[in-house]
Amino acid sequence: MEKIVSLCKRRGFIFQSSEIYGGINGFWDYGPLGAELRKNIRDCWWNDMVRRRDDIVGLESSIIMHPKVWEASGHVAGFNDPMVDCKVSKQRFRADQLFFARVEIIPEASAETTHSDPSTQTIGYVVALESDRTDEELREKAIELKRKKSIRGQLAPIVALDFTQAKPEEITLIPSPATGEPGSLTAPRAFNMMLQTHVGALRDESAIAYLRPETAQGMFADFKAIVDTGRVKVPFGIAQIGKSFRNEITPRNFIFRSREFEQMEMEYFISDQDDWMKWHRYWIDWCRDWLISVGIPAAQISEYNHPKEKLSHYSKGTTDLMFQYPFGTQELWGIAARGNYDLSQHSRFSGTSMEYFDEASKRKYIPHVIEPAVGVDRILLAILCGAYTEDEAPDEKGKMESRVVLRFAPRIAPIKAAIFPLLKNKPELVAKAKAVRDLLRPHLTVFYDEAGAIGRRYRRQDEIGTPFCLTIDFETLGEKGDDLKDTVTLRDRDSMKQERVKVSELLPFLLSKVC
Ligand code: ATP
């Protein structure tokens, strides 16, 4: 991970935001190459998700919406709980749903002593999440702890307390429910993850608005407006790409979890009588195939099905596509079957019916929805991690030296082709190279470079993932015969093979590789 972070900084992919002022935690800037890479990710997704399909339309809704939207969606109430983070597993728990108990032993000599007696000995803590077995679970864990520690004496009665009742000195002693080990839980903090602002001249309660924590609510709030334009029929989808903001308690792992990030979300509306499982599977497979199409190695993608008991009450099923990042296997893309919860909530809160009228059956109903939701930044990080390779390449004299290569899929690479005149002090070579650049530039992102030895120029392009390098040499000028006149050396980044290609064939060749 360190190598990737330093490459990103060195070559202008990603910088810390406001670095000259010491940075601001959870915010990142994308430099010249990062901006290109992001744009390519967005464009590929938009083309595949919206433009190349008949059943999905696009939307760009505002970042700040009516505050009632977030009441209806559950974000105002839902994000207000005291939260506890496990620093090791990165899991977050509602403090009032996390129970712990002191495990106390009554010394053998005083068998009559009770829990609060000062002569009891505390041997550790146990923890359990809220369920209908919380007390039993705590007791079983206490017995197990006593057995492990081979402590004699009688167990004092177990008293379950929720985490908001933990004393400051106890917090580091209570094990995390995720790891079973103490020391990783944070103190509970009342927390609403939505970033607030004020709209208008007043600064009072009535002016509070939120920066959206997800783009999805734009699709639900505009559902009726889009249906009324008459272009869509269930099943259909609304897709959006845009910035979202969450005041994450602990932003971490480079751009994986930040406070300002960009989402690509799509709400796919289906009939309430349709087979939601079929559509859920369809979208999981679509998302997986798409990740592979932008160069993410299939072997590093896995599926995680959220257990039924952890789903929100309205959710029918959620599957995450996970990626094996260097810091662990983590959620990349969530595909959730959300029933008709969101549209029903907006009907209730706004008083506007979100029912859909089905012409064929003459029936009105609130559609159900399947939501694939992904972050551009998490995809970008997965692409970088999947592409980073170190191998060996010959230098000018044929001696092998190590090289760093970003094996980006050509369709996603920030620069598609680099163009080099063999020598920069030969005006004919420079003029011809610039002519090739001008030929390609209207169609592809290309980069002209005349500085340094050719091997070094290749190496620089390998490191930023440029799939093709074109060298204009004396053969191109026809100095070695007419056969090779107007041909260039095309070098492939991955195989390092070189071949001669006619200038007139360059554009169709490159376009066939990068689209
Ligand atoms: P996590 O559990 O990692 O916080 P989440 O389940 O809250 O994520 P969703 O609300 O389902 O995430 O958001 C959909 C997608 O948006 C995620 O799969 C992820 O790709 C992206 N995303 C969410 N939060 C962040 C963040 N803080 N930084 C970057 N991307 C994010």
Side-chain angles (χ1 to χ4, degrees), residues 278-407:
K278 174 192 81 182
W279 283 111
H280 191 224
R281 188 69 245 168
Y282 170 86
W283 283 109
I284 299 166
D285 293 341
W286 189 95
C287 296
R288 191 191 176 91
D289 290 347
W290 190 85
L291 289 174
I292 294 167
S293 83
V294 293
I296 295 184
Q300 281 172 266
I301 306 171
S302 55
E303 278 179 29
Y304 170 75
N305 294 312
H306 288 237
K308 282 256 171 322
E309 59 277 13
K310 288 208 177 149
L311 292 175
S312 29
H313 64 95
Y314 53 83
S315 177
K316 290 170 180 276
T318 297
T319 300
D320 291 340
L321 289 177
M322 315 287 283
F323 179 75
Q324 223 174 46
Y325 290 97
F327 43 84
T329 299
Q330 300 272 347
E331 172 182 341
L332 171 57
W333 203 329
I335 300 101
R338 300 175 62 90
N340 63 7
Y341 176 76
D342 304 272
L343 288 181
S344 304
Q345 285 290 96
H346 286 300
S347 285
R348 210 167 298 141
F349 277 71
S350 67
T352 304
S353 169
M354 292 288 171
E355 280 178 322
Y356 172 84
F357 180 69
D358 183 66
E359 289 285 349
S361 65
K362 306 286 177 223
R363 199 168 63 83
K364 270 185 169 179
Y365 62 89
I366 299 191
H368 286 220
V369 75
I370 309 288
E371 173 192 89
V374 70
V376 176
D377 315 79
R378 284 196 191 173
I379 291 182
L380 192 143
L381 185 56
I383 287 177
L384 278 169
C385 296
Y388 184 92
T389 330
E390 290 172 8
D391 65 6
E392 294 208 317
D395 69 4
E396 301 289 283
K397 296 182 184 111
K399 197 170 136 253
M400 294 308 267
E401 59 176 19
S402 65
R403 71 163 185 164
V404 170
V405 198
L406 287 178
R407 293 186 193 273

Side-chain angles (χ1 to χ4, degrees), residues 190-211:
F191 207 75
N192 190 307
M193 296 221 300
M194 281 195 294
L195 282 144
Q196 271 188 16
T197 185
H198 292 86
V199 172
L202 290 176
R203 287 239 133 214
D204 63 6
E205 284 279 298
S206 71
I208 289 180
Y210 303 98
L211 303 191

Side-chain angles (χ1 to χ4, degrees), residues 98-101 103 123-129 133-149 155 158 175-180:
L98 184 61
F99 287 86
F100 73 97
V103 181
I123 61 162
Y125 288 79
V126 286
V127 76
L129 293 173
R133 289 194 68 252
T134 306
D135 286 355
E136 270 169 85
E137 210 186 315
L138 288 173
R139 194 172 156 71
E140 285 162 15
K141 286 183 175 167
I143 293 170
E144 179 62 13
L145 184 71
K146 177 172 174 284
R147 193 189 59 76
K148 267 202 190 141
K149 294 202 164 184
L155 210 54
I158 294 293
S176 157
T179 63

